[in-house]
Amino acid sequence: MYRIAVIPGDGTGPEQIGEALKVLEAAGEKFNLSFETTHYDLGGERYLKTGELLPDSVFDELKECQAILLGAIGHPDVKPGILERGLLLRLRFELDLYINLRPVKLYPGVASPLKNKRPEDIDFVVVRENTEGLYTGAGGFFKKGSPDEVAIQESINTRRGVERCLRYAFDYCQGKRNRRQLTLCGKTNVLTYAFDLWERAFQEMSLDYPGVKTDYAHVDAICMWMIKNPEWFDVIVTDNMFGDIITDLGAMIQGGMGIAAGANLHPGKTSMFEPIGGSAPKYTGLNKINPLAAICASAMMLDYLGEEEAAQSVEAAVATVCHRHLAGLNAGEMGHTTAEVGDLVTRYL
Ligand code: IPM
Ligand code: MN
């Protein structure tokens, strides 16, 4: 019995999560697992009604669950930054979810915008540090609003934070991948403090992993090669900001936000799983949004819970649906409704 907190969230989040839960239920039946789910109405609507983002009592309940399944956060009537900082980033920081794991995988049948690239060419994983860097909120204004105004946004990189992220990436690369090639993505030519630390820690740690081939590339070059030669990559490890940016690029080359999922992890503790796209408010209630990203997020959750066979079955069912049934991945172009896509995955499962 697994205790799962469900935060459907804003916009199309609830529609996506509805299908993910449908698939989880089916996986539960097939593999004899049971899920005790509790829904939380966190998000833009609740904030607009009550001013609450993440009450402490709710946070305490979330901590008691093994996993959180999150739909999407983002509301057109809420100023940018409030929900992001008050909810999504607060969960990542306070649950200390120091890994953001984002697979970039082109499923058979899915059209990549990259000409001549096949599924075997686009299959890598980004390990994004998720609790430090430019995301801590460190910095501030001086003389705000005046012509002499100064804005400082600091990137915090601790030896401990960097090392635990690298450790996860090395272990993941060694344990879960066949090619066992780990690329550090940085900017050592300009960010000479932050990525100096990253690079030294990376090189030192590599001595513990003789079976992992290591490699370094600057973030701008990585953007170029992700387009030109995505087949070069197996696992990429990077800081929070660069990880944010390159995983949107990754989502595009794997066919779009409709299929891109991510896991926010603290191994051994409450972890959170989400489709990486936003709430897509203009599609709300139309039954047009692609639920596959949320379904893939639930597969990542199963894997995290130790139910690897169930996770693989869900992923295989997703791959089959992409291959046999979907015209496109984006909202409104699938050739099927949101609910039909969930039903198809369940059927193949
Ligand atoms: C993501 C998102 C978030 C981030 C935003 C919504 C704060 O873009 O999960 O990648 O920047 O991490
Ligand atoms: Mn992002």
Side-chain angles (χ1 to χ4, degrees):
M1 163 80 87
Y2 294 109
R3 291 185 67 180
I4 311 293
V6 181
I7 307 175
D10 300 317
T12 56
E15 290 163 70
Q16 303 182 47
I17 288 300
E19 300 312 307
L21 290 175
K22 193 192 266 180
V23 172
L24 263 186
E25 198 59 41
E29 263 167 48
K30 179 168 176 188
F31 292 95
N32 204 16
L33 315 170
S34 61
F35 304 99
E36 185 192 291
T37 54
T38 310
H39 281 63
Y40 294 91
D41 66 344
L42 303 170
E45 291 298 335
R46 176 158 176 180
Y47 173 70
L48 289 170
K49 250 185 260 149
T50 68
E52 285 174 326
L53 286 162
L54 181 56
D56 290 343
S57 59
V58 174
F59 184 75
D60 290 341
E61 285 181 40
L62 294 178
K63 268 193 314 206
E64 298 307 313
C65 297
Q66 278 130 311
I68 303 169
L69 193 58
L70 174 73
I73 298 293
H75 194 291
D77 301 337
V78 181
K79 210 176 116 210
I82 294 181
L83 298 168
E84 289 85 343
R85 242 189 210 290
L87 203 49
L88 182 64
L89 296 182
R90 191 170 158 215
L91 285 168
R92 288 182 186 165
F93 279 76
E94 290 197 22
L95 293 171
D96 199 25
L97 305 174
Y98 64 91
I99 295 299
N100 197 325
L101 189 68
R102 296 186 162 182
V104 176
K105 187 166 180 176
L106 179 65
Y107 288 103
V110 171
S112 169
L114 302 186
K115 191 169 57 141
N116 301 333
K117 296 295 176 191
R118 296 147 305 161
E120 55 270 40
D121 299 320
I122 303 177
D123 182 7
F124 60 93
V125 177
V126 177
V127 177
R128 165 186 174 187
E129 201 290 324
N130 211 29
T131 51
E132 298 196 338
L134 281 165
Y135 276 70
T136 63
F141 288 113
F142 180 52
K143 299 188 180 174
K144 188 177 177 190
S146 83
D148 297 326
E149 162 161 33
V150 178
I152 295 180
Q153 195 92 45
E154 289 163 319
S155 174
I156 295 193
N157 298 265
T158 68
R159 184 79 194 201
R160 194 190 297 275
V162 168
E163 275 185 358
R164 66 180 180 173
C165 175
L166 292 173
R167 179 71 64 196
Y168 182 90
F170 272 105
D171 285 340
Y172 183 88
C173 193
Q174 179 169 268
K176 293 247 186 192
R177 305 289 298 183
N178 294 326
R179 279 177 58 203
R180 302 204 174 114
Q181 179 196 302
L182 180 61
T183 304
L184 173 64
C185 164
K187 189 72 186 171
T188 52
N189 52 347
V190 175
L191 305 180
T192 49
Y193 309 125
F195 282 100
D196 187 77
L197 189 160
W198 274 86
E199 199 177 32
R200 276 182 287 117
F202 183 69
Q203 278 166 3
E204 283 167 30
M205 199 172 287
S206 71
L207 303 176
D208 299 342
Y209 298 85
V212 173
K213 198 166 150 278
T214 55
D215 185 19
Y216 170 83
H218 296 319
V219 63
D220 46 349
I222 291 234
C223 289
M224 182 172 71
W225 288 324
M226 274 173 67
I227 301 296
K228 197 167 170 285
N229 299 101
E231 66 278 5
W232 285 355
F233 299 112
D234 182 28
V235 179
I236 298 176
V237 63
T238 191
D239 83 344
N240 209 341
M241 188 78 256
F242 291 165
D244 177 48
I245 296 168
I246 68 171
T247 53
D248 266 28
L249 182 57
M252 287 304 115
I253 66 173
Q254 72 180 124
M257 284 296 180
I259 188 108
N264 301 266
L265 307 171
H266 185 127
K269 290 197 186 171
T270 310
S271 291
M272 182 166 76
F273 302 82
E274 54 174 346
I276 79 174
S279 58
K282 73 175 181 190
Y283 292 106
T284 306
L286 299 181
N287 204 11
K288 283 186 173 173
I289 197 79
N290 190 339
L292 289 181
I295 293 170
C296 289
S298 68
M300 293 183 83
M301 180 174 89
L302 288 169
D303 187 72
Y304 174 74
L305 294 171
E307 302 297 343
E308 289 172 18
E309 208 190 337
Q312 278 158 18
S313 296
V314 172
E315 208 199 320
V318 167
T320 305
V321 170
C322 287
H323 183 52
R324 297 208 191 145
H325 297 277
L326 292 199
L329 288 184
N330 293 329
E333 63 173 45
M334 300 184 292
H336 292 275
T337 65
T338 306
E340 280 167 3
V341 174
D343 289 340
L344 282 166
V345 176
T346 306
R347 196 172 95 204
Y348 287 107
L349 187 64

